[in-house]
Amino acid sequence: MEQHTYSHSRLQELVQNIFLQMGCSPDDATQAANVLVSADLRGIDSHGVARLNGYVRLMDLKRLNPSPSVKVVHETPSTAVVDGDAGLGLVVAPKAMEIAIQKATQAGTGWVAIRNSNHFGIAGYHSMLALPHNMIGFAMTNAGPLVAPTFSKDKLLGTNPIAVAIPAQEEPPFVLDMATTTAAYGKLEILQRKSQPTPTGWVQNGNGEPVTDAHAVKNGGALLPLGGDREHGSHKGYGLGAWVDIFSGVLSGANYGPWVPPFATAGFMSSAEQLVGAGTGHFVGAMRIDAFRPAEEFKQHMDNWIRAFRKATPVDGQDRVLIPGDPERILEAERRQNGIPILPIVVDSLRELAKRFNVTWNLD
């Protein structure tokens, strides 16, 4: 399928102006656009500007407050609970991460549970906010139920991603950003747009049988936990997803499990009739490295760790062993220079949003 490329600065301007017209403050509009465009720059197209239409739909459904009053509702010197006032998770999560960093500055570590939020984009963006502070950053979120636990036909968990960002001295940071499923649902949406099947181990049908139909989840099936099936370790992916759900939802006072509200692009999903908490939940944290050992010493050893893995002998057909964060970092450098490829269906969606909100179209 033919794709056109657009500069990240023009995409940033367009998306930012749409968020402004939705009712976001200038700072929040800039922040929200930053998260989406960062996803596209890093090659996580499933969570980039293609998601903008979903946030608009959340607003239309009265589930999104574009001008929230984000508040700390409980705290200790090293922890806090934040209520996002139904705001954009793209805005609420960075604000919560700022609190975690402030607490880590004082207490050594800072941990913030977030309730009453919405979809927060790529988890890696939020964890990486800790890097300039000589801190290790963590971020996770629960999501609407699309995932069947091992041995289940029922969908009870979200894709529930985990991210950790660890600084090094001369080497690029270690950035792990992963769903706890074999693939994020956004990857299915990309395959649906391209009319392509999924790889084996991504989805099952309504009878719990593995299939390769990219529309299977829409038709009563489910995403599979990381591993795909019991023989390949799906119980481990299930356990990781459950951990994220408990930290993000049960600990914060947000919804959890089958009660987490679906993202608006998943039009085939219906919200639970009886909620058990407030909105979607996240959990973020920051750890000051020098709370454990001198930061410069640690980062030198991180360089040593990274170089040892880079020197590993690659298997046939591969150039080298990658460090988590390498593919995204390499692609970001390329896309900053050459532009971000956008599918025509996504361009059409952006054009419609620009027209609806009377925003100047700047991509042609």
Side-chain angles (χ1 to χ4, degrees):
M1 184 179 294
E2 183 182 359
Q3 298 184 87
H4 297 286
T5 58
Y6 302 96
S7 74
H8 68 277
S9 58
R10 288 207 171 184
L11 277 170
Q12 170 81 26
E13 179 185 10
L14 176 69
V15 174
Q16 185 172 317
N17 285 335
I18 290 172
F19 276 125
L20 275 171
Q21 293 304 311
M22 286 171 62
C24 295
S25 70
D27 286 347
D28 285 359
T30 300
Q31 174 65 79
N34 278 345
V35 182
L36 293 188
V37 175
S38 291
D40 282 313
L41 281 170
R42 293 176 66 78
I44 311 173
D45 302 334
S46 58
H47 285 57
V49 299
R51 290 269 176 169
L52 181 57
N53 186 54
Y55 297 107
V56 173
R57 288 180 61 187
L58 283 178
M59 184 182 72
D60 290 342
L61 292 168
K62 311 295 185 188
R63 286 175 47 196
L64 172 67
N65 177 5
S67 56
S69 176
V70 180
K71 295 179 179 178
V72 173
V73 294
H74 178 76
E75 66 179 325
T76 73
S78 62
T79 66
V81 177
V82 163
D83 188 293
D85 194 24
L88 284 162
L90 307 170
V91 171
V92 175
K95 289 182 178 180
M97 194 61 182
E98 288 178 12
I99 295 168
I101 291 168
Q102 290 168 4
K103 288 186 174 293
T105 300
Q106 299 298 320
T109 66
W111 305 98
V112 181
I114 303 116
R115 69 189 186 209
N116 200 12
S117 185
N118 282 289
H119 189 276
F120 79 173
I122 57 170
Y125 180 96
H126 311 298
S127 66
M128 291 173 69
L129 292 175
L131 293 175
H133 303 274
N134 272 343
M135 295 182 187
I136 296 171
F138 299 86
M140 59 181 73
T141 183
N142 64 14
L146 293 170
V147 184
T150 302
F151 300 143
S152 172
K153 294 182 181 180
D154 297 328
K155 296 186 285 286
L156 296 172
L157 290 170
T159 53
N160 296 6
I162 301 170
V164 59
I166 306 171
Q169 185 84 333
E170 296 177 359
E171 295 290 338
F174 175 109
V175 182
L176 174 67
D177 183 358
M178 53 171 267
T180 53
T181 48
T182 306
Y185 184 74
K187 298 285 180 66
L188 290 189
E189 292 176 321
I190 291 174
L191 292 176
Q192 290 166 13
R193 295 179 193 123
K194 295 180 177 180
S195 299
Q196 294 177 354
T198 74
T200 302
W202 281 25
V203 293
Q204 66 182 27
N205 63 20
N207 293 322
E209 301 162 334
V211 293
T212 59
D213 178 9
H215 298 274
V217 181
K218 288 184 178 180
N219 297 324
L223 284 170
L224 293 170
L226 183 62
D229 57 36
R230 179 65 174 79
E231 287 69 27
H232 293 91
S234 67
H235 57 293
K236 299 177 182 179
Y238 166 30
L240 288 171
W243 165 43
V244 172
D245 193 42
I246 293 166
F247 269 44
S248 300
V250 181
L251 193 60
S252 70
N255 292 292
Y256 48 82
W259 296 281
V260 180
F263 189 56
T265 53
F268 60 92
M269 297 177 68
S270 58
S271 295
E273 293 182 5
Q274 183 177 356
L275 301 178
V276 293
T280 298
H282 322 308
F283 187 85
V284 298
M287 296 170 56
R288 209 176 70 215
I289 292 168
D290 65 5
F292 299 88
R293 68 185 299 188
E296 297 306 305
E297 181 181 283
F298 169 85
K299 292 194 292 184
Q300 289 169 7
H301 279 278
M302 275 304 299
D303 282 350
N304 193 43
W305 188 96
I306 290 168
R307 289 164 185 163
F309 280 74
R310 289 204 193 285
K311 290 177 182 176
T313 304
V315 297
D316 292 344
Q318 299 298 320
D319 295 330
R320 60 177 176 141
V321 174
L322 296 172
I323 305 300
D326 277 352
E328 295 88 349
R329 176 179 53 81
I330 293 167
L331 199 54
E332 179 171 357
E334 176 188 317
R335 288 186 171 187
R336 281 188 180 276
Q337 181 174 347
N338 301 322
I340 296 172
I342 305 292
L343 289 168
I345 191 171
V346 177
V347 175
D348 291 344
S349 173
L350 292 173
R351 195 185 297 274
E352 290 173 7
L353 291 175
K355 182 178 180 180
R356 169 179 168 176
F357 290 103
N358 197 28
V359 167
T360 301
W361 180 256
N362 66 344
L363 296 188
D364 293 332

